[in-house]
């Protein structure tokens, strides 16, 4: 502020002196520094599972993400995917925590919580894939993440739902994200908001972003069965294969079939 005041005084009292030019450059550099610092502010927490979508979001928005949070809710594949979430966060220098939601298998009904043999095979468009829905899973995770965000002085919670999720999962749809964001904004002092930038795009488009970012998708997990290797036949395996094929990415994932 002092620099700019002095600059104005010199402008009035003299011509374009060397000092005036110098102060102008100093002021311009100061503004650029402020803009960079503003851009680099880490204001968000991300729900990161360890799958393709959330890992892509993590890398794309790494400069504003202060923390990654994974939820162990007792699914067949949590033990396979969470280590990848941790690895990517550590590689990017982002704090990572895991929250245990061990109560969910006891009270919630879903094939995702009933063992590998309960997972149906086929495409997400098939009706039998609805059995993989864990009721209000994203609502629970977003509520907890919003509380952590407020406690940590952050402003946003990031979620990596995408357009292909909408048919099967009610808590991935645009209207849900909008309503939930309004709830967290209203129900927190700083007005925590949900950012879900992939809501309107496909998994292929996400894969293309990951390709541009240089992400190694072999260091992600998708299969709902959670066995040693991807099964290659459940809905999320089929979607993974199609996305990488259509994005022109060499798929080095080991599939059982």
């Amino acid at each position: 502020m002092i620099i700019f005041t002095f600059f104005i005084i010199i402008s009035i009292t003299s011509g374009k002196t060397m000092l005036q030019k110098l102060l102008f450059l100093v002021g311009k550099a100061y503004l650029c520094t402020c803009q960079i610092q503003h851009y680099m502010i880490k204001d968000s927490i991300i729900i990161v599972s360890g799958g393709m979508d959330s890992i892509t979001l993590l890398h794309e928005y790494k400069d504003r993400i202060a923390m990654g949070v994974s939820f162990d809710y007792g699914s067949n594949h949590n033990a396979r995917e969470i280590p990848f979430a941790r690895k990517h966060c550590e590689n990017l220098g982002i704090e990572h925590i895991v929250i245990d939601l061990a109560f969910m298998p006891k009270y919630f009904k879903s094939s995702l919580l009933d063992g590998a043999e309960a997972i149906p095979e086929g495409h997400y468009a098939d009706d039998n894939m609805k059995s993989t829905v864990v009721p209000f899973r994203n609502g629970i995770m977003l509520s907890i993440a919003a509380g952590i965000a407020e406690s940590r002085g952050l402003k946003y919670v990031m979620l990596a739902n995408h357009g292909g999720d909408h048919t099967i999962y009610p808590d991935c749809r645009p209207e849900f994200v909008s309503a939930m964001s309004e709830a967290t904004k209203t129900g927190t002092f700083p007005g925590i908001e949900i950012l879900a930038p992939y809501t309107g795009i496909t998994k292929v488009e996400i894969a293309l972003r990951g390709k541009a970012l240089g992400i190694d998708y072999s260091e992600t997990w998708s299969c709902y069965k959670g066995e040693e290797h991807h099964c290659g036949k459940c809905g999320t395996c089929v979607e993974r294969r199609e996305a990488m094929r259509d994005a022109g990415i060499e798929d080095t994932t080991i599939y059982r079939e």
Side-chain angles (χ1 to χ4, degrees):
M1 192 67 184
I2 295 173
I3 292 174
F4 290 112
T5 303
F6 190 35
F7 172 71
I8 292 171
I9 294 171
I10 292 176
S11 298
I12 295 172
T13 57
S14 63
K16 287 190 174 181
T17 64
M18 287 297 293
L19 181 58
Q20 180 183 353
K21 292 177 181 178
L22 178 62
L23 289 172
F24 175 79
L25 291 173
V26 170
K28 190 173 183 180
Y30 174 78
L31 285 175
C32 289
T33 301
C34 288
Q35 289 173 346
I36 292 172
Q37 289 176 340
H38 177 73
Y39 179 76
M40 294 290 286
I41 289 175
K42 290 183 176 289
D43 60 1
S44 304
I45 182 172
I46 182 174
I47 296 174
V48 56
S49 66
M52 287 180 64
D53 310 324
S54 64
I55 293 301
T56 305
L57 188 65
L58 175 73
H59 281 265
E60 185 172 0
Y61 288 88
K62 65 183 186 299
D63 290 336
R64 63 183 297 183
I65 295 172
M67 174 185 285
V69 56
S70 300
F71 293 92
D72 187 347
Y73 54 93
S75 76
N76 306 318
H77 63 301
N78 279 161
R80 291 290 181 186
E81 63 181 0
I82 290 176
F84 285 123
R86 181 182 298 108
K87 180 176 183 178
H88 282 274
C89 283
E90 288 177 351
N91 289 346
L92 294 172
I94 294 171
E95 181 183 359
H96 177 258
I97 62 172
V98 179
I99 294 178
D100 187 359
L101 300 179
F103 68 89
M104 292 183 73
K106 183 177 180 180
Y107 299 106
F108 289 55
K109 181 63 178 176
S110 169
S111 62
L112 216 59
L113 308 173
D114 288 339
E117 64 283 353
I119 299 296
E121 296 178 349
H123 198 277
Y124 267 126
D126 299 339
D127 285 340
N128 64 349
M129 291 307 295
K130 290 182 180 179
S131 75
T132 64
V133 173
V134 179
F136 206 61
R137 175 183 56 180
N138 281 346
I140 294 167
M141 296 191 297
L142 286 167
S143 297
I144 295 170
I148 295 172
E150 181 169 9
S151 300
R152 292 293 188 103
L154 304 174
K155 186 70 172 66
Y156 302 99
V157 176
M158 291 189 175
L159 181 69
N161 61 304
H162 65 83
D165 294 330
H166 299 169
T167 302
I168 298 295
Y169 302 111
D171 57 358
C172 287
R173 295 170 185 165
E175 54 269 34
F176 167 80
V177 174
S178 177
M180 197 70 189
S181 185
E182 187 61 32
T184 58
K185 186 176 180 181
T186 304
T188 56
F189 281 115
I192 305 297
E193 296 180 55
I194 296 168
L195 296 182
Y198 294 168
T199 301
I201 67 175
T202 66
K203 199 177 190 79
V204 176
E205 291 173 289
I206 293 172
L208 285 168
R209 293 189 184 197
K211 181 180 180 180
L213 290 165
I215 296 172
D216 179 1
Y217 281 128
S218 69
E219 296 184 337
T220 63
W221 187 269
S222 298
C223 184
Y224 278 164
K225 295 194 176 184
E227 298 175 334
E228 184 179 0
H229 300 301
H230 284 70
C231 73
K233 299 181 74 174
C234 70
T236 187
C237 276
V238 172
E239 188 183 48
R240 178 188 180 97
R241 279 178 146 168
E242 291 178 347
M244 286 203 267
R245 180 198 66 201
D246 294 347
I249 299 172
E250 181 183 1
D251 188 358
T252 58
T253 305
I254 298 174
Y255 297 100
R256 196 179 68 232
E257 296 183 49

Short mmCIF file of all heavy atoms in Angstrom, two decimals, residues 132-184:
data_model
loop_
_atom_site.label_atom_id
_atom_site.label_comp_id
_atom_site.label_asym_id
_atom_site.label_seq_id
_atom_site.Cartn_x
_atom_site.Cartn_y
_atom_site.Cartn_z
N THR A 132 -25.27 -53.41 -5.91
CA THR A 132 -24.01 -52.89 -5.38
C THR A 132 -24.17 -51.54 -4.69
O THR A 132 -23.21 -51.01 -4.12
CB THR A 132 -22.95 -52.75 -6.50
OG1 THR A 132 -23.39 -51.78 -7.46
CG2 THR A 132 -22.70 -54.08 -7.19
N VAL A 133 -25.37 -50.99 -4.74
CA VAL A 133 -25.61 -49.70 -4.06
C VAL A 133 -25.50 -49.88 -2.54
O VAL A 133 -26.13 -50.77 -1.97
CB VAL A 133 -27.00 -49.14 -4.41
CG1 VAL A 133 -27.31 -47.91 -3.56
CG2 VAL A 133 -27.08 -48.81 -5.89
N VAL A 134 -24.68 -49.05 -1.91
CA VAL A 134 -24.63 -48.98 -0.45
C VAL A 134 -25.47 -47.77 -0.07
O VAL A 134 -25.09 -46.64 -0.39
CB VAL A 134 -23.19 -48.81 0.07
CG1 VAL A 134 -23.18 -48.72 1.60
CG2 VAL A 134 -22.32 -49.98 -0.39
N PRO A 135 -26.61 -47.95 0.57
CA PRO A 135 -27.56 -46.85 0.80
C PRO A 135 -26.93 -45.61 1.43
O PRO A 135 -26.29 -45.69 2.47
CB PRO A 135 -28.60 -47.48 1.74
CG PRO A 135 -28.55 -48.94 1.41
CD PRO A 135 -27.11 -49.24 1.12
N PHE A 136 -27.09 -44.50 0.73
CA PHE A 136 -26.68 -43.18 1.19
C PHE A 136 -25.19 -43.10 1.57
O PHE A 136 -24.78 -42.28 2.36
CB PHE A 136 -27.53 -42.73 2.38
CG PHE A 136 -27.61 -41.22 2.52
CD1 PHE A 136 -28.15 -40.45 1.52
CD2 PHE A 136 -27.14 -40.59 3.66
CE1 PHE A 136 -28.22 -39.06 1.64
CE2 PHE A 136 -27.21 -39.20 3.80
CZ PHE A 136 -27.76 -38.45 2.78
N ARG A 137 -24.38 -43.95 0.96
CA ARG A 137 -22.94 -43.98 1.26
C ARG A 137 -22.28 -42.61 1.08
O ARG A 137 -21.57 -42.13 1.97
CB ARG A 137 -22.24 -45.01 0.36
CG ARG A 137 -20.72 -45.03 0.50
CD ARG A 137 -20.10 -46.04 -0.47
NE ARG A 137 -20.50 -45.77 -1.84
CZ ARG A 137 -20.10 -46.51 -2.88
NH1 ARG A 137 -19.33 -47.57 -2.69
NH2 ARG A 137 -20.48 -46.20 -4.11
N ASN A 138 -22.52 -41.97 -0.06
CA ASN A 138 -21.89 -40.67 -0.30
C ASN A 138 -22.40 -39.61 0.66
O ASN A 138 -21.65 -38.72 1.06
CB ASN A 138 -22.11 -40.22 -1.74
CG ASN A 138 -21.17 -40.92 -2.71
OD1 ASN A 138 -20.19 -41.55 -2.31
ND2 ASN A 138 -21.47 -40.83 -4.00
N GLY A 139 -23.68 -39.71 1.03
CA GLY A 139 -24.22 -38.74 1.99
C GLY A 139 -23.52 -38.84 3.33
O GLY A 139 -23.20 -37.81 3.95
N ILE A 140 -23.26 -40.07 3.77
CA ILE A 140 -22.56 -40.27 5.05
C ILE A 140 -21.14 -39.75 4.97
O ILE A 140 -20.66 -39.01 5.85
CB ILE A 140 -22.58 -41.77 5.42
CG1 ILE A 140 -24.00 -42.23 5.71
CG2 ILE A 140 -21.68 -42.04 6.62
CD1 ILE A 140 -24.17 -43.73 5.76
N MET A 141 -20.44 -40.12 3.90
CA MET A 141 -19.04 -39.71 3.77
C MET A 141 -18.90 -38.20 3.61
O MET A 141 -17.99 -37.58 4.19
CB MET A 141 -18.39 -40.45 2.60
CG MET A 141 -18.31 -41.95 2.81
SD MET A 141 -17.29 -42.85 1.62
CE MET A 141 -18.16 -42.53 0.08
N LEU A 142 -19.79 -37.60 2.85
CA LEU A 142 -19.73 -36.15 2.65
C LEU A 142 -20.01 -35.40 3.96
O LEU A 142 -19.39 -34.36 4.23
CB LEU A 142 -20.74 -35.72 1.58
CG LEU A 142 -20.35 -36.05 0.14
CD1 LEU A 142 -21.55 -35.87 -0.79
CD2 LEU A 142 -19.18 -35.18 -0.33
N SER A 143 -20.93 -35.92 4.76
CA SER A 143 -21.24 -35.29 6.05
C SER A 143 -20.02 -35.29 6.96
O SER A 143 -19.69 -34.27 7.59
CB SER A 143 -22.40 -36.02 6.73
OG SER A 143 -23.58 -35.94 5.96
N ILE A 144 -19.35 -36.43 7.04
CA ILE A 144 -18.15 -36.53 7.88
C ILE A 144 -17.04 -35.62 7.33
O ILE A 144 -16.39 -34.89 8.09
CB ILE A 144 -17.67 -37.99 7.95
CG1 ILE A 144 -18.71 -38.85 8.66
CG2 ILE A 144 -16.31 -38.08 8.66
CD1 ILE A 144 -18.44 -40.33 8.57
N ALA A 145 -16.85 -35.66 6.02
CA ALA A 145 -15.80 -34.83 5.41
C ALA A 145 -16.07 -33.34 5.62
O ALA A 145 -15.15 -32.55 5.83
CB ALA A 145 -15.69 -35.14 3.92
N ALA A 146 -17.35 -32.94 5.56
CA ALA A 146 -17.70 -31.54 5.80
C ALA A 146 -17.35 -31.12 7.22
O ALA A 146 -16.86 -30.00 7.46
CB ALA A 146 -19.18 -31.31 5.53
N GLY A 147 -17.58 -32.02 8.19
CA GLY A 147 -17.22 -31.73 9.58
C GLY A 147 -15.72 -31.59 9.75
O GLY A 147 -15.24 -30.71 10.48
N ILE A 148 -14.96 -32.44 9.06
CA ILE A 148 -13.50 -32.34 9.12
C ILE A 148 -13.03 -31.04 8.47
O ILE A 148 -12.16 -30.35 8.98
CB ILE A 148 -12.84 -33.55 8.43
CG1 ILE A 148 -13.17 -34.84 9.18
CG2 ILE A 148 -11.31 -33.37 8.36
CD1 ILE A 148 -12.72 -36.10 8.44
N ALA A 149 -13.64 -30.71 7.33
CA ALA A 149 -13.28 -29.48 6.63
C ALA A 149 -13.47 -28.26 7.53
O ALA A 149 -12.60 -27.40 7.62
CB ALA A 149 -14.11 -29.34 5.36
N GLU A 150 -14.62 -28.20 8.21
CA GLU A 150 -14.86 -27.06 9.11
C GLU A 150 -13.86 -27.06 10.25
O GLU A 150 -13.34 -26.00 10.62
CB GLU A 150 -16.28 -27.11 9.66
CG GLU A 150 -16.60 -25.94 10.59
CD GLU A 150 -18.06 -25.82 10.93
OE1 GLU A 150 -18.84 -26.74 10.60
OE2 GLU A 150 -18.44 -24.79 11.53
N SER A 151 -13.55 -28.22 10.79
CA SER A 151 -12.61 -28.31 11.91
C SER A 151 -11.20 -27.93 11.50
O SER A 151 -10.42 -27.44 12.32
CB SER A 151 -12.60 -29.75 12.46
OG SER A 151 -13.88 -30.11 12.93
N ARG A 152 -10.87 -28.14 10.23
CA ARG A 152 -9.52 -27.83 9.72
C ARG A 152 -9.43 -26.45 9.08
O ARG A 152 -8.38 -26.09 8.55
CB ARG A 152 -9.11 -28.89 8.70
CG ARG A 152 -8.87 -30.29 9.30
CD ARG A 152 -7.65 -30.31 10.22
NE ARG A 152 -7.31 -31.66 10.64
CZ ARG A 152 -6.30 -32.38 10.13
NH1 ARG A 152 -5.55 -31.87 9.18
NH2 ARG A 152 -6.05 -33.59 10.59
N GLY A 153 -10.52 -25.72 9.06
CA GLY A 153 -10.48 -24.39 8.45
C GLY A 153 -10.48 -24.43 6.94
O GLY A 153 -10.01 -23.49 6.28
N LEU A 154 -11.03 -25.49 6.35
CA LEU A 154 -11.12 -25.62 4.90
C LEU A 154 -12.51 -25.19 4.43
O LEU A 154 -13.43 -25.04 5.23
CB LEU A 154 -10.82 -27.06 4.48
CG LEU A 154 -9.47 -27.60 4.95
CD1 LEU A 154 -9.33 -29.08 4.61
CD2 LEU A 154 -8.33 -26.80 4.32
N LYS A 155 -12.67 -25.05 3.13
CA LYS A 155 -13.92 -24.48 2.60
C LYS A 155 -14.70 -25.45 1.72
O LYS A 155 -15.91 -25.33 1.58
CB LYS A 155 -13.58 -23.22 1.78
CG LYS A 155 -14.78 -22.43 1.27
CD LYS A 155 -15.52 -21.76 2.40
CE LYS A 155 -16.60 -20.81 1.89
NZ LYS A 155 -17.71 -21.48 1.21
N TYR A 156 -14.01 -26.44 1.14
CA TYR A 156 -14.68 -27.30 0.17
C TYR A 156 -14.40 -28.79 0.43
O TYR A 156 -13.35 -29.16 0.94
CB TYR A 156 -14.22 -26.97 -1.26
CG TYR A 156 -14.47 -25.54 -1.65
CD1 TYR A 156 -13.44 -24.59 -1.59
CD2 TYR A 156 -15.73 -25.12 -2.07
CE1 TYR A 156 -13.67 -23.27 -1.94
CE2 TYR A 156 -15.97 -23.81 -2.43
CZ TYR A 156 -14.94 -22.87 -2.36
OH TYR A 156 -15.17 -21.57 -2.70
N VAL A 157 -15.38 -29.61 0.02
CA VAL A 157 -15.21 -31.06 0.00
C VAL A 157 -15.33 -31.51 -1.46
O VAL A 157 -16.30 -31.18 -2.13
CB VAL A 157 -16.30 -31.78 0.83
CG1 VAL A 157 -16.14 -33.29 0.70
CG2 VAL A 157 -16.23 -31.36 2.29
N MET A 158 -14.33 -32.25 -1.94
CA MET A 158 -14.33 -32.70 -3.32
C MET A 158 -14.78 -34.15 -3.43
O MET A 158 -14.38 -35.00 -2.63
CB MET A 158 -12.94 -32.55 -3.94
CG MET A 158 -12.52 -31.11 -4.14
SD MET A 158 -11.00 -30.99 -5.10
CE MET A 158 -10.90 -29.19 -5.28
N LEU A 159 -15.61 -34.41 -4.44
CA LEU A 159 -16.16 -35.74 -4.68
C LEU A 159 -16.01 -36.07 -6.16
O LEU A 159 -16.27 -35.24 -7.02
CB LEU A 159 -17.65 -35.77 -4.30
CG LEU A 159 -18.39 -37.09 -4.47
CD1 LEU A 159 -17.90 -38.12 -3.45
CD2 LEU A 159 -19.90 -36.87 -4.31
N ALA A 160 -15.60 -37.33 -6.46
CA ALA A 160 -15.29 -37.70 -7.85
C ALA A 160 -16.38 -38.55 -8.50
O ALA A 160 -16.08 -39.47 -9.26
CB ALA A 160 -13.95 -38.42 -7.91
N ASN A 161 -17.64 -38.27 -8.21
CA ASN A 161 -18.72 -38.94 -8.95
C ASN A 161 -18.69 -38.49 -10.40
O ASN A 161 -18.15 -37.42 -10.72
CB ASN A 161 -20.07 -38.59 -8.33
CG ASN A 161 -20.35 -37.11 -8.39
OD1 ASN A 161 -19.55 -36.30 -7.90
ND2 ASN A 161 -21.45 -36.71 -8.99
N HIS A 162 -19.24 -39.29 -11.30
CA HIS A 162 -19.23 -38.90 -12.72
C HIS A 162 -20.53 -39.29 -13.40
O HIS A 162 -21.39 -39.95 -12.80
CB HIS A 162 -18.03 -39.51 -13.44
CG HIS A 162 -18.05 -41.01 -13.53
ND1 HIS A 162 -18.75 -41.71 -14.49
CD2 HIS A 162 -17.45 -41.95 -12.75
CE1 HIS A 162 -18.58 -43.00 -14.32
NE2 HIS A 162 -17.80 -43.19 -13.27
N GLY A 163 -20.67 -38.87 -14.64
CA GLY A 163 -21.92 -39.05 -15.37
C GLY A 163 -22.39 -40.48 -15.49
O GLY A 163 -23.59 -40.75 -15.51
N GLY A 164 -21.46 -41.44 -15.57
CA GLY A 164 -21.84 -42.84 -15.70
C GLY A 164 -22.44 -43.44 -14.45
O GLY A 164 -23.04 -44.51 -14.49
N ASP A 165 -22.28 -42.75 -13.31
CA ASP A 165 -22.80 -43.25 -12.04
C ASP A 165 -24.29 -42.97 -11.85
O ASP A 165 -24.94 -43.58 -11.01
CB ASP A 165 -22.07 -42.59 -10.85
CG ASP A 165 -20.60 -42.97 -10.77
OD1 ASP A 165 -20.27 -44.10 -11.19
OD2 ASP A 165 -19.80 -42.16 -10.29
N HIS A 166 -24.81 -42.02 -12.60
CA HIS A 166 -26.12 -41.45 -12.27
C HIS A 166 -27.27 -42.45 -12.30
O HIS A 166 -28.18 -42.39 -11.48
CB HIS A 166 -26.44 -40.30 -13.24
CG HIS A 166 -25.45 -39.18 -13.17
ND1 HIS A 166 -25.43 -38.16 -14.09
CD2 HIS A 166 -24.45 -38.92 -12.30
CE1 HIS A 166 -24.45 -37.31 -13.79
NE2 HIS A 166 -23.84 -37.77 -12.71
N THR A 167 -27.23 -43.37 -13.27
CA THR A 167 -28.35 -44.31 -13.42
C THR A 167 -28.47 -45.24 -12.23
O THR A 167 -29.57 -45.49 -11.72
CB THR A 167 -28.17 -45.15 -14.71
OG1 THR A 167 -28.07 -44.26 -15.82
CG2 THR A 167 -29.35 -46.09 -14.90
N ILE A 168 -27.34 -45.74 -11.76
CA ILE A 168 -27.33 -46.74 -10.69
C ILE A 168 -27.39 -46.12 -9.30
O ILE A 168 -28.14 -46.56 -8.43
CB ILE A 168 -26.08 -47.63 -10.81
CG1 ILE A 168 -26.09 -48.39 -12.14
CG2 ILE A 168 -25.99 -48.60 -9.64
CD1 ILE A 168 -27.20 -49.39 -12.28
N TYR A 169 -26.59 -45.08 -9.08
CA TYR A 169 -26.39 -44.57 -7.73
C TYR A 169 -27.11 -43.23 -7.50
O TYR A 169 -26.67 -42.20 -8.03
CB TYR A 169 -24.90 -44.42 -7.44
CG TYR A 169 -24.13 -45.71 -7.60
CD1 TYR A 169 -23.23 -45.90 -8.64
CD2 TYR A 169 -24.33 -46.77 -6.72
CE1 TYR A 169 -22.54 -47.09 -8.79
CE2 TYR A 169 -23.65 -47.97 -6.86
CZ TYR A 169 -22.75 -48.12 -7.91
OH TYR A 169 -22.08 -49.31 -8.05
N PRO A 170 -28.15 -43.22 -6.69
CA PRO A 170 -28.88 -41.96 -6.43
C PRO A 170 -28.01 -40.88 -5.80
O PRO A 170 -28.22 -39.69 -6.06
CB PRO A 170 -30.00 -42.39 -5.46
CG PRO A 170 -30.16 -43.86 -5.69
CD PRO A 170 -28.79 -44.37 -6.01
N ASP A 171 -27.01 -41.29 -4.98
CA ASP A 171 -26.18 -40.29 -4.31
C ASP A 171 -24.96 -39.89 -5.12
O ASP A 171 -23.96 -39.41 -4.59
CB ASP A 171 -25.77 -40.78 -2.91
CG ASP A 171 -25.03 -42.11 -2.93
OD1 ASP A 171 -24.87 -42.70 -4.02
OD2 ASP A 171 -24.61 -42.58 -1.84
N CYS A 172 -25.07 -40.09 -6.45
CA CYS A 172 -24.06 -39.58 -7.38
C CYS A 172 -24.67 -38.60 -8.38
O CYS A 172 -23.96 -38.01 -9.19
CB CYS A 172 -23.41 -40.73 -8.16
SG CYS A 172 -22.27 -41.73 -7.19
N ARG A 173 -25.98 -38.45 -8.32
CA ARG A 173 -26.69 -37.63 -9.32
C ARG A 173 -26.52 -36.13 -9.04
O ARG A 173 -26.32 -35.72 -7.89
CB ARG A 173 -28.17 -38.01 -9.32
CG ARG A 173 -28.40 -39.44 -9.79
CD ARG A 173 -29.83 -39.90 -9.57
NE ARG A 173 -29.99 -41.31 -9.92
CZ ARG A 173 -31.02 -42.06 -9.57
NH1 ARG A 173 -32.01 -41.53 -8.84
NH2 ARG A 173 -31.07 -43.33 -9.93
N PRO A 174 -26.61 -35.32 -10.09
CA PRO A 174 -26.43 -33.86 -9.93
C PRO A 174 -27.34 -33.25 -8.88
O PRO A 174 -26.91 -32.39 -8.10
CB PRO A 174 -26.74 -33.30 -11.32
CG PRO A 174 -26.50 -34.44 -12.26
CD PRO A 174 -26.86 -35.69 -11.50
N GLU A 175 -28.60 -33.68 -8.84
CA GLU A 175 -29.55 -33.09 -7.89
C GLU A 175 -29.17 -33.43 -6.44
O GLU A 175 -29.38 -32.64 -5.52
CB GLU A 175 -30.98 -33.53 -8.19
CG GLU A 175 -31.20 -35.02 -8.28
CD GLU A 175 -31.05 -35.59 -9.68
OE1 GLU A 175 -30.21 -35.08 -10.45
OE2 GLU A 175 -31.78 -36.56 -10.00
N PHE A 176 -28.59 -34.63 -6.25
CA PHE A 176 -28.13 -34.99 -4.91
C PHE A 176 -26.95 -34.12 -4.50
O PHE A 176 -26.90 -33.59 -3.38
CB PHE A 176 -27.71 -36.47 -4.84
CG PHE A 176 -26.96 -36.80 -3.58
CD1 PHE A 176 -27.64 -37.03 -2.39
CD2 PHE A 176 -25.57 -36.85 -3.57
CE1 PHE A 176 -26.94 -37.29 -1.21
CE2 PHE A 176 -24.87 -37.12 -2.41
CZ PHE A 176 -25.55 -37.34 -1.22
N VAL A 177 -25.97 -34.00 -5.39
CA VAL A 177 -24.78 -33.20 -5.08
C VAL A 177 -25.17 -31.76 -4.76
O VAL A 177 -24.67 -31.16 -3.80
CB VAL A 177 -23.78 -33.23 -6.26
CG1 VAL A 177 -22.61 -32.28 -5.99
CG2 VAL A 177 -23.26 -34.65 -6.47
N SER A 178 -26.09 -31.21 -5.56
CA SER A 178 -26.54 -29.84 -5.34
C SER A 178 -27.24 -29.70 -3.99
O SER A 178 -26.98 -28.75 -3.22
CB SER A 178 -27.49 -29.43 -6.47
OG SER A 178 -28.01 -28.14 -6.26
N ALA A 179 -28.13 -30.64 -3.67
CA ALA A 179 -28.87 -30.58 -2.41
C ALA A 179 -27.94 -30.78 -1.21
O ALA A 179 -28.06 -30.10 -0.18
CB ALA A 179 -29.97 -31.64 -2.40
N MET A 180 -26.99 -31.70 -1.35
CA MET A 180 -26.06 -31.97 -0.26
C MET A 180 -25.14 -30.78 -0.02
O MET A 180 -24.82 -30.43 1.12
CB MET A 180 -25.23 -33.22 -0.59
CG MET A 180 -24.53 -33.83 0.60
SD MET A 180 -25.69 -34.60 1.75
CE MET A 180 -24.59 -34.95 3.12
N SER A 181 -24.73 -30.14 -1.10
CA SER A 181 -23.88 -28.96 -0.97
C SER A 181 -24.62 -27.83 -0.27
O SER A 181 -24.06 -27.10 0.55
CB SER A 181 -23.40 -28.49 -2.35
OG SER A 181 -22.49 -27.41 -2.23
N GLU A 182 -25.89 -27.69 -0.59
CA GLU A 182 -26.71 -26.67 0.07
C GLU A 182 -26.85 -26.99 1.56
O GLU A 182 -26.82 -26.09 2.41
CB GLU A 182 -28.09 -26.60 -0.58
CG GLU A 182 -28.95 -25.45 -0.09
CD GLU A 182 -28.35 -24.07 -0.34
OE1 GLU A 182 -27.64 -23.92 -1.35
OE2 GLU A 182 -28.58 -23.16 0.49
N ALA A 183 -26.97 -28.28 1.89
CA ALA A 183 -27.09 -28.69 3.29
C ALA A 183 -25.81 -28.40 4.07
O ALA A 183 -25.85 -27.87 5.19
CB ALA A 183 -27.43 -30.18 3.37
N THR A 184 -24.64 -28.75 3.49
CA THR A 184 -23.38 -28.51 4.20
C THR A 184 -23.08 -27.01 4.29
O THR A 184 -22.52 -26.54 5.28
CB THR A 184 -22.20 -29.23 3.50
OG1 THR A 184 -22.09 -28.79 2.14
CG2 THR A 184 -22.38 -30.73 3.55
#
